[in-house]
Amino acid sequence: MPIKPATATHESSSNGTAEAILLELVDENGTTIGTAEKLSAHQPPGLLHRAFSVFLFDEQGRLLLQQRALGKYHSPGVWSNTCCGHPYPGESPFAAAARRTYEELGVSPSLLAEAGTVRYNHPDPESGLVEQEYNHLFVGMTQAPLAPDPEEVGDTAYVTPAELAERHAKDPFSAWFMTVLDAARPAVRELTGPSAGW
């Protein structure tokens, strides 16, 4: 299994040149139809590709948010869900979600469960890139202390629904955040229970 972050380049052992990161292209049913280089898949109008989004909660039912590092090429400095990214070609979305959560936040979920899929098309006005994604959703729990990678994560915060609403009203969030959260809400409610308010 690859262990380098999906945002990094892979070094080719034969000639020392950087090898492009490939994403899985899919059809509207989520069936793999090919691959494309990561940046080219996000150039307008965007190529539909496989992605994942993770929502982790603490024992109080608070959602772990991530502020994307300022050095990221796509949506830098904005707040978003716990973790999101793209499986390597042939890698299961579940394995990719667990891998990237550990790579970005230094924590392995104590529980991680599938929460459906959502398909969307979200342009990012700042970068000009487009998210055409078939997104696999995951919800789970985390109990261990975080150890974020500063190249990936600028800040983190655990929030209640009320605190999220307040933060969302004043801080920039990723273009896809509300789409993936709304799609994951049934699984989030099942995980956190009615008292958490999700």
Side-chain angles (χ1 to χ4, degrees):
M1 180 191 330
I3 57 171
K4 286 193 177 182
T7 52
T9 55
H10 298 289
E11 293 298 324
S12 167
S13 56
S14 58
N15 59 15
T17 59
E19 183 182 331
I21 297 295
L22 296 179
L23 307 184
E24 275 190 2
L25 300 181
V26 299
D27 64 16
E28 294 291 339
N29 298 312
T31 303
T32 302
I33 58 172
T35 60
E37 189 276 324
K38 183 177 180 180
L39 186 57
S40 68
H42 290 88
Q43 300 284 355
L47 300 173
L48 184 60
H49 58 276
R50 193 178 310 284
F52 65 83
S53 290
V54 177
F55 297 85
L56 294 184
F57 296 82
D58 66 8
E59 292 173 320
Q60 289 76 49
R62 297 179 303 168
L63 171 62
L64 174 58
L65 296 178
Q66 172 190 143
Q67 185 182 37
R68 295 165 63 85
L70 290 174
K72 294 184 78 79
Y73 82 99
H74 191 334
S75 303
V78 303
W79 288 89
S80 198
N81 49 294
T82 308
C83 179
C84 54
H86 310 92
Y88 292 115
E91 182 182 26
S92 77
F94 184 93
R99 172 178 58 80
R100 284 302 287 162
T101 299
Y102 184 78
E103 289 172 352
E104 292 187 9
L105 294 160
V107 65
S108 294
S110 56
L111 171 72
L112 191 64
E114 294 182 6
T117 59
V118 62
R119 192 262 196 250
Y120 53 78
N121 173 7
H122 283 303
D124 175 35
E126 293 296 318
S127 67
L129 300 175
V130 177
E131 289 287 11
Q132 285 268 17
E133 294 190 329
Y134 188 93
N135 196 307
H136 298 257
L137 308 171
F138 298 92
V139 299
M141 305 275 301
T142 181
Q143 297 167 305
L146 303 177
D149 177 352
E151 291 190 7
E152 297 288 342
V153 181
D155 199 1
T156 59
Y158 284 98
V159 296
T160 65
E163 290 166 343
L164 174 60
E166 182 179 326
R167 186 181 291 263
H168 194 263
K170 65 182 179 65
D171 293 335
F173 272 71
S174 65
W176 61 87
F177 175 74
M178 287 308 300
T179 299
V180 292
L181 175 59
D182 286 344
R185 277 187 199 274
V188 168
R189 291 184 186 121
E190 187 175 342
L191 174 73
T192 59
S195 62
W198 293 102

